[in-house]
Amino acid sequence: MSTAQAALATTFAATISTEVGGATVTAAGAETPDLWGAFPRLSDGQIAALSVDGERRPTRAGEVLYRVGDENCDFFVVLAGLVAIVDAHGGPDERVVAVHGPGRFLGELTTITGQPAFLSAVVHEPGEVLVVPVDRLRRRALDDPALGDLILRAYLARRSLLIELGTGLRIVGSRFSPDSRRLREFAARNRLPHRFVDVERDPDAETLLQSLGVAPEETPVVIWRGREVLRHPSNAELARMIGLPALRPAQGVCDMVVVGAGPAGLAAAVYGASEGLATLVLDAEAAGGQAATSSRIENYLGFPLGISGAELAERAVIQAEKFGAMLSVPARAAALEEHEGHHVVRLEDGEAVAGRTVVVATGARYRRLRVPGLERFEGASVYYAATVVEAQMCANDPIAIVGGGNSAGQATVFLSRYARVVRLLVRSDDLGRSMSRYLVERIRRLPGVEVHDNTEVREVVGDGALEAVVVEDNRTGARSTLEARALFVFIGADPNARWLGDAVRLDEKGFVLTGADAIPPGQPGGVDGRRPRPLETSLPGVFAVGDVRSGSIKRVASAAGEGSMAVRLCHEHLEEVGGAAGREAPNDADRREAAAP
């Protein structure tokens, strides 16, 4: 949690004091202070402009403007009185998240995505609100980019705050259960506000389960709206319940199917959709790819103070959907085939989508350490990402991080704010060999961080949960034991290209070959006398971008660049084959500069 977020959370806890209309709210007349830009106030001019598109409505104390689970909520501006934003409204865990007064607006990201609301809005003091349908808000923001940017920034900040405060969903299970870990990971990767109730530690967990009629062996369970219970759900079942975008029934053939929603895939989606291509994006788990697990990206163009990978992905998803791209999560690709002149992506659940072009952006998966018994602790004490979920799991504990690249460095900086001591285990003798200099310098200055060069993990020790790691000095062979309650592994990744089978050519490591490298031996003129374009695979009309591509630079910026470049190449292919979207690709000046939130 950032300093500002922590201060804001502390303020919430300190100001909750009275009961009004069945909801715990702050003291009468008290607004939640805007410490992090999450609760800005609209100007008189902005309210006047929105009034043209909305309706003024009186409010009464205790009135519920919208409830948790409501979809397609309107945009509310408080004109007079106070409105409380309440978590678990009407339930035993009810609490106030914020209180808004005149000039402030309600909602968070679900307001502009149309997904179910995570919180309820309850009138604390009677007054008046301005109600604006979201579709009219979007049109208004096109004419007023400053308004759209103000709302989007606030909503992004609010989503981060809700995640930190543990509002929304309740996931109940054992911290040692792989399925509990799977659900928590899915929620975290998709930026779904949630709270984990650990049956091993929480004294109220058993009472909660009994009240819901859930037996301990039925956990993990997900509780939604205080009363809806999913027993041992799959990721897809959780996604459907919470309103994540699902694959729509086939509506003909897409111009471009993007497989993978990491930086490369999202860039392709934004540029493709903004240039008029009917674009569908599929991802097996969540938008953002490996980048979404990075706590802070500090060398990405345009963000001098850095940005978390999850927030960068969240912004890109909103941007892509603004231009009309369709996103489906979870949707795991299983095969790539040809049918009637189109490319068909078959999914694990049996569905299939067809496209005139395909952009493969499935990235890479983390490598596992070859240490005996490591699998016993995976999901409970051994992690391959460093998000807030993992940080909370190891708060005030000693931890170890394995790796010498930027991912390991970013995790070290982030986790040092939570763990009692961080031990960075590096196989080489020089931390700067594969890590950016700014990270090396920061790590060297951090208190509570130990850097162990020439060190490799040989054993993991613990009963049920990790207790220590046995490490070896790879120069002398000397071994020692380091206390560690969690182990984070960042030792590179392997391509997620197995699903392609032999549909396209791969290199000896399984990465997708593109351009001249994709030409089969003995066919100097290319497949059917046609040489592949840059980023094009051995299958015409199928392109590979980002970490899955052979020879790519494993950086967020380069992945995004390849994704945008692939769109122009898709246009060229469509022109060549006479596809419905075959026309000259627009340049930057032709693109719509919409600014809807």
Side-chain angles (χ1 to χ4, degrees):
M1 182 184 294
S2 70
T3 302
Q5 287 173 303
L8 188 53
T10 301
T11 301
F12 289 158
T15 55
I16 292 176
S17 59
T18 62
E19 296 283 336
V20 176
T24 305
V25 297
T26 56
E31 273 191 320
T32 305
D34 187 13
L35 302 180
W36 198 43
F39 309 130
R41 207 177 303 277
L42 297 176
S43 68
D44 291 341
Q46 289 170 325
I47 293 175
L50 286 168
S51 296
V52 176
D53 301 302
E55 174 187 358
R56 291 173 179 256
R57 204 173 81 194
T59 60
R60 64 184 186 279
E63 178 183 356
V64 179
L65 300 180
Y66 57 81
R67 299 181 185 276
V68 59
D70 286 354
E71 299 181 29
N72 299 306
C73 297
D74 290 325
F75 180 76
F76 289 87
V77 180
V78 181
L79 300 178
L82 292 174
V83 177
I85 305 303
V86 184
D87 181 35
H89 178 52
D93 296 329
E94 182 176 289
R95 60 172 172 164
V96 160
V97 172
V99 175
H100 297 305
R104 288 189 178 177
F105 52 90
L106 311 182
E108 57 103 36
L109 282 178
T110 55
T111 304
I112 56 178
T113 63
Q115 294 169 338
F118 286 104
L119 303 168
S120 300
V122 183
V123 177
H124 172 25
E125 290 184 0
E128 186 180 29
V129 294
L130 174 64
V131 187
V132 183
V134 173
D135 58 341
R136 295 183 188 175
L137 174 69
R138 292 192 181 100
R139 289 197 295 270
R140 174 62 55 183
L142 289 174
D143 298 326
D144 187 352
L147 174 65
D149 187 62
L150 176 72
I151 295 170
L152 178 57
R153 286 176 182 272
Y155 280 178
L156 287 167
R158 292 180 191 183
R159 174 57 63 91
S160 295
L161 180 61
L162 298 188
I163 291 171
E164 294 283 358
L165 293 177
T167 63
L169 299 169
R170 302 291 187 270
I171 300 175
V172 185
S174 168
R175 67 196 301 261
F176 303 116
S177 163
D179 280 317
S180 294
R181 173 65 189 174
R182 169 181 57 80
L183 291 170
R184 295 184 69 198
E185 232 176 42
F186 184 79
R189 292 287 303 276
N190 284 282
R191 301 272 288 166
L192 303 178
H194 68 283
R195 187 179 64 165
F196 178 57
V197 180
D198 190 351
V199 296
E200 309 286 345
R201 292 183 172 180
D202 194 319
D204 298 324
E206 185 176 351
T207 302
L208 174 61
L209 292 176
Q210 288 177 350
S211 70
L212 296 169
V214 176
E217 59 269 18
E218 292 180 292
T219 59
V221 297
V222 177
I223 304 170
W224 173 233
R225 293 197 272 202
R227 60 187 183 276
E228 296 181 21
V229 179
L230 280 183
R231 290 169 167 80
H232 215 284
S234 66
N235 289 353
E237 289 170 332
L238 174 56
R240 284 195 296 270
M241 182 184 74
I242 207 66
L244 289 180
L247 189 64
R248 304 175 189 177
Q251 298 290 333
V253 180
C254 297
D255 293 325
M256 182 172 68
V257 176
V258 182
V259 187
L266 289 173
V270 168
Y271 279 89
S274 70
E275 293 176 2
L277 297 181
T279 302
L280 172 64
V281 187
L282 310 171
D283 198 277
E285 185 172 359
Q290 284 194 61
T293 66
S294 176
S295 57
R296 182 66 44 180
I297 301 171
E298 297 191 69
N299 57 354
Y300 190 72
L301 183 67
F303 294 92
L305 299 180
I307 184 172
S308 74
E311 184 178 339
L312 184 64
E314 205 161 47
R315 288 171 176 263
V317 168
I318 293 170
Q319 194 175 14
E321 291 180 337
K322 175 185 71 176
F323 288 121
M326 298 174 289
L327 178 69
S328 180
V329 176
R332 188 179 297 276
L336 178 63
E337 303 170 356
E338 296 294 294
H339 181 68
E340 296 181 352
H342 297 132
H343 304 295
V344 176
V345 178
R346 297 206 175 274
L347 307 179
E348 277 190 351
D349 62 5
E351 294 287 338
V353 294
R356 296 182 176 87
T357 63
V358 171
V359 176
V360 178
T362 42
R365 59 183 176 275
Y366 291 110
R367 290 176 185 154
R368 265 60 177 171
L369 278 174
R370 294 182 179 179
V371 176
L374 188 73
E375 64 279 357
R376 291 184 294 128
F377 304 112
E378 287 186 328
S381 307
V382 175
Y383 308 115
Y384 298 89
T387 69
V388 172
V389 171
E390 290 82 16
Q392 292 172 343
M393 292 284 282
C394 63
N396 300 316
D397 285 336
I399 67 170
I401 298 175
V402 180
N406 279 358
S407 294
Q410 290 161 350
T412 299
V413 173
F414 174 63
L415 294 172
S416 67
R417 296 170 11 214
Y418 295 82
R420 173 159 52 87
V421 61
V422 178
R423 298 182 169 101
L424 179 58
L425 314 180
V426 185
R427 186 171 57 178
S428 72
D429 60 358
D430 180 12
L431 189 59
R433 182 171 296 176
S434 54
M435 187 182 295
S436 295
R437 178 54 55 185
Y438 77 91
L439 277 174
V440 174
E441 293 174 354
R442 181 172 300 178
I443 288 169
R444 298 292 188 189
R445 295 195 303 266
L446 282 173
V449 172
E450 303 173 3
V451 178
H452 297 255
D453 297 325
N454 300 108
T455 302
E456 300 182 46
V457 177
R458 296 300 184 219
E459 296 179 30
V460 286
V461 180
D463 182 15
L466 186 69
E467 298 173 6
V469 293
V470 177
V471 298
E472 179 179 287
D473 187 314
N474 56 28
R475 298 164 301 179
T476 66
R479 292 195 175 192
S480 58
T481 300
L482 301 176
E483 185 184 13
R485 297 291 183 269
L487 178 65
F488 292 81
V489 182
F490 299 96
I491 56 172
D494 297 313
N496 279 321
R498 187 173 299 176
W499 66 277
L500 291 166
D502 58 1
V504 300
R505 292 195 68 223
L506 309 177
D507 67 14
E508 66 280 359
K509 295 182 179 179
F511 291 90
V512 181
L513 292 166
T514 57
D517 294 333
I519 298 174
Q523 298 184 38
V527 179
D528 297 328
R530 178 185 173 282
R531 295 177 64 84
R533 296 179 175 87
L535 305 182
E536 192 170 23
T537 69
S538 56
L539 187 60
V542 176
F543 303 85
V545 295
D547 289 2
V548 75
R549 189 179 69 82
S550 179
S552 66
I553 298 172
K554 305 301 187 282
R555 288 289 185 271
V556 173
S558 60
E562 289 185 6
S564 60
M565 177 181 172
V567 173
R568 175 167 290 277
L569 301 176
C570 285
H571 276 290
E572 292 179 2
H573 174 80
L574 292 171
E575 292 172 25
E576 183 179 273
V577 300
R583 62 185 184 277
E584 183 180 355
N587 56 36
D588 286 338
D590 298 324
R591 297 188 179 103
R592 292 177 288 155
E593 295 298 332

